[in-house]
Every structure is written in C-alpha cells, then in structure tokens.
C-alpha cells in the first residue's frame, strides 16, 4: 500500500518570504503522479501543482514549484513571495497509476500561516 | 465554480437517520470519487465510480453505499448515522489519473 507522509503539522512564514513544505511517500511503483492541494479556510480543495514521476524536470506554476527527488521519494513544495492568501492547509497526494484507477492517497496535511 | 456540484452544502440530522449526498461531476469526467474529511483530519478515500461502475473501494463502512447513474451523477447514502459520521464529505471527478481531481465544495454533515 502507498503511504504519504507530511512531517510538518504547522508552518509559518512572513509575507513575501519563501517557505518549503515537505512530503515523502512510499511506493514500489515506477510510474505515478504526485500532487499538492491547497485547502483554505473555505475548505474548498484546490489543485496547486502536479508532477509526473517519469518527468525529471520539476513542475512550476507561477510562485509554486516542487523539488521532486524520485530516488529519495521526496516531493516538497516551495512557495515563493508568500502572500496572505496562501494561508491554508496543504495536502500532498499520490496516485500510483496503473490499476489504482486514479485513487489519490493524501498526507495528513500541513497548516501554513502567512503573517503580514 | 470548479464544475463539480455537491448538494446539499450543509446537513444536520439525528443519530440513526439516513441521508443522501449528491454529486454532479465536471462535464466530460467519467470518474467520481467520494472522500470523507473529519475535523482536523486528512482525506479518507471512500469509493470510486467510473462510468457507472464501482472501480475501487476504500475504508467505507457497510452503513454507507454509493452509486453512479447513467447521467454520471453520483449519490452517497449514509444510514444508521452515528455522531462519529459528522464530517465534510467531498466528491471529486477526473478525466484521467495524471491530471488530478477537481473537487466539489463538499457537504458538511452534522449528526446530533
């Protein structure tokens, strides 16, 4: 079974600074997908960024980027120029591909607070 | 608006009762997933449907059941409700595995 671990229950950062959220996962699959989702106080789940395991290049979406280390099974999220609107719970998620039929396994989440 | 519609947004009911949560997936998405998020918890996978057929089951209680209809909307039925069933229930849909999910806004269920 696949597992996803987020070791930082809470993080805080000052506005305009950079913060990195950690995520590790465990799988025996060779091809899979990784995601970061954001859940603001509204509780809506929003896809932030995704990474395909067979692509070596790290994904980037505006101020959000990932550091994907396949051998280490690590998938961290870097938020640059943090904004107050980035305050949210962030979930790392894994999809094994193949016969998993798209089922996502989520980590326990990291609460990020951006301070003015 | 994400394109995934969940109704109702809020539901308050008594223990022992039965409720039905409804989900309309984003246009073109054949897969529907149901997740439960208890207070301050992560998301627990319940069940997945693909084009009307059950594809995968997670930690779904026997008191819970779901189905997906020919028009692709899905319903999650929760019966003999207990206080511990109080949670946020999310529906999500996807077009393929690699693109991730689009989530609905969730149904907040409170069992009193």
């Amino acid at each position: 079974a696949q597992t996803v671990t987020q070791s930082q229950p809470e993080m805080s950062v000052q506005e305009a600074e950079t913060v990195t959220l950690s995520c590790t996962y465990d799988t025996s699959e060779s091809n899979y997908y990784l995601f970061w989702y954001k859940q603001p106080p509204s509780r809506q789940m929003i896809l932030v960024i995704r990474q395909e395991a067979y692509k070596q290049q790290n994904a980037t979406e505006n101020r959000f980027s990932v550091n994907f280390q396949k051998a280490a099974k690590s998938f961290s999220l870097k938020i640059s120029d943090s904004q107050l609107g980035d305050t949210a719970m962030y979930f790392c998620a894994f999809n094994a591909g193949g016969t998993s039929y798209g089922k996502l396994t989520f980590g326990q989440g990291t609460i990020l607070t951006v301070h003015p | 608006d994400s394109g995934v519609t969940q109704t109702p947004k809020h539901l308050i009911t008594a223990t022992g009762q039965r409720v039905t949560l409804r989900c309309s997936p984003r246009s073109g998405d054949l897969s529907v997933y149901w997740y439960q998020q208890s207070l301050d918890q992560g998301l627990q996978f319940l069940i997945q449907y693909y084009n009307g057929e059950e594809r995968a089951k997670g930690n779904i209680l026997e008191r819970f059941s779901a189905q997906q209809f020919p028009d692709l909307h899905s319903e999650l039925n929760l019966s003999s409700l207990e206080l511990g069933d109080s949670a946020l229930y999310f529906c999500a849909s996807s077009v393929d595995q690699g693109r991730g999910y689009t989530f609905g806004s969730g149904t907040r269920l409170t069992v009193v």
Side-chain angles (χ1 to χ4, degrees), chain A residues 34-106:
Chain A
L34 294 160
F35 307 88
W36 279 97
Y37 280 85
K38 169 185 176 181
Q39 187 178 42
S42 66
R43 306 307 294 269
Q44 177 71 44
M45 292 289 290
I46 302 164
L47 177 62
V48 175
I49 198 165
R50 64 186 183 92
Q51 174 81 39
E52 298 171 58
Y54 62 87
K55 288 188 177 179
Q56 297 202 358
Q57 185 174 4
N58 289 323
T60 300
E61 289 287 343
N62 300 313
R63 298 183 294 107
F64 299 87
S65 61
V66 298
N67 183 4
F68 174 47
Q69 301 290 327
K70 190 171 184 178
K73 296 180 181 175
S74 170
F75 183 61
S76 60
L77 175 69
K78 185 172 84 172
I79 305 174
S80 304
D81 186 25
S82 296
Q83 300 176 359
L84 297 179
D86 295 334
T87 292
M89 174 86 90
Y90 286 82
F91 290 99
C92 179
F94 172 95
N95 176 347
T99 58
S100 76
Y101 300 116
K103 171 196 164 186
L104 283 181
T105 300
F106 287 87

Side-chain angles (χ1 to χ4, degrees), chain A residues 33 35 37 39 42-45 47 50 52 89 91 95 97-108, chain B residues 2 31 33 35 37-38 40-45 48 55-56 88 90 97-101 103-105 108:
Chain A
Y33 306 93
F35 307 88
Y37 280 85
Q39 187 178 42
S42 66
R43 306 307 294 269
Q44 177 71 44
M45 292 289 290
L47 177 62
R50 64 186 183 92
E52 298 171 58
M89 174 86 90
F91 290 99
N95 176 347
T99 58
S100 76
Y101 300 116
K103 171 196 164 186
L104 283 181
T105 300
F106 287 87
Q108 286 301 101
Chain B
S2 68
S31 281
Y33 308 82
Y35 279 78
Q37 185 180 30
S38 301
D40 296 328
Q41 295 291 310
L43 286 91
Q44 300 298 316
F45 172 68
Q48 179 207 355
R55 271 289 175 90
L88 188 56
F90 281 108
Q97 296 173 305
R99 300 190 193 180
Y101 293 171
F103 279 84
S105 57
R108 166 74 67 188

Side-chain angles (χ1 to χ4, degrees), chain B residues 2-6 22-33 49 68-69 71-75 91-94 102-104:
Chain B
S2 68
V4 178
T5 303
Q6 285 190 252
R22 194 180 193 277
C23 169
S24 294
R26 195 177 55 169
S27 178
D29 290 355
L30 299 180
S31 281
V32 170
Y33 308 82
Y49 280 84
Q68 186 179 29
F69 295 87
D71 67 352
L72 300 179
H73 91 271
S74 178
E75 293 181 355
C91 168
S93 71
S94 71
T102 301
F103 279 84

Side-chain angles (χ1 to χ4, degrees), chain B residues 5-81:
Chain B
T5 303
Q6 285 190 252
T7 57
K9 291 193 184 304
H10 302 277
L11 200 49
I12 301 175
T13 190
T15 54
Q17 294 299 303
R18 172 189 169 95
V19 297
T20 297
L21 312 184
R22 194 180 193 277
C23 169
S24 294
R26 195 177 55 169
S27 178
D29 290 355
L30 299 180
S31 281
V32 170
Y33 308 82
W34 287 96
Y35 279 78
Q36 179 193 58
Q37 185 180 30
S38 301
L39 186 63
D40 296 328
Q41 295 291 310
L43 286 91
Q44 300 298 316
F45 172 68
L46 295 178
I47 198 163
Q48 179 207 355
Y49 280 84
Y50 178 83
N51 202 21
E53 294 187 1
E54 181 184 305
R55 271 289 175 90
K57 232 174 186 178
N59 299 321
I60 187 167
L61 300 172
E62 285 190 10
R63 300 183 286 107
F64 295 1
S65 65
Q67 56 184 329
Q68 186 179 29
F69 295 87
D71 67 352
L72 300 179
H73 91 271
S74 178
E75 293 181 355
L76 179 67
N77 301 295
L78 315 176
S79 61
S80 302
L81 285 167

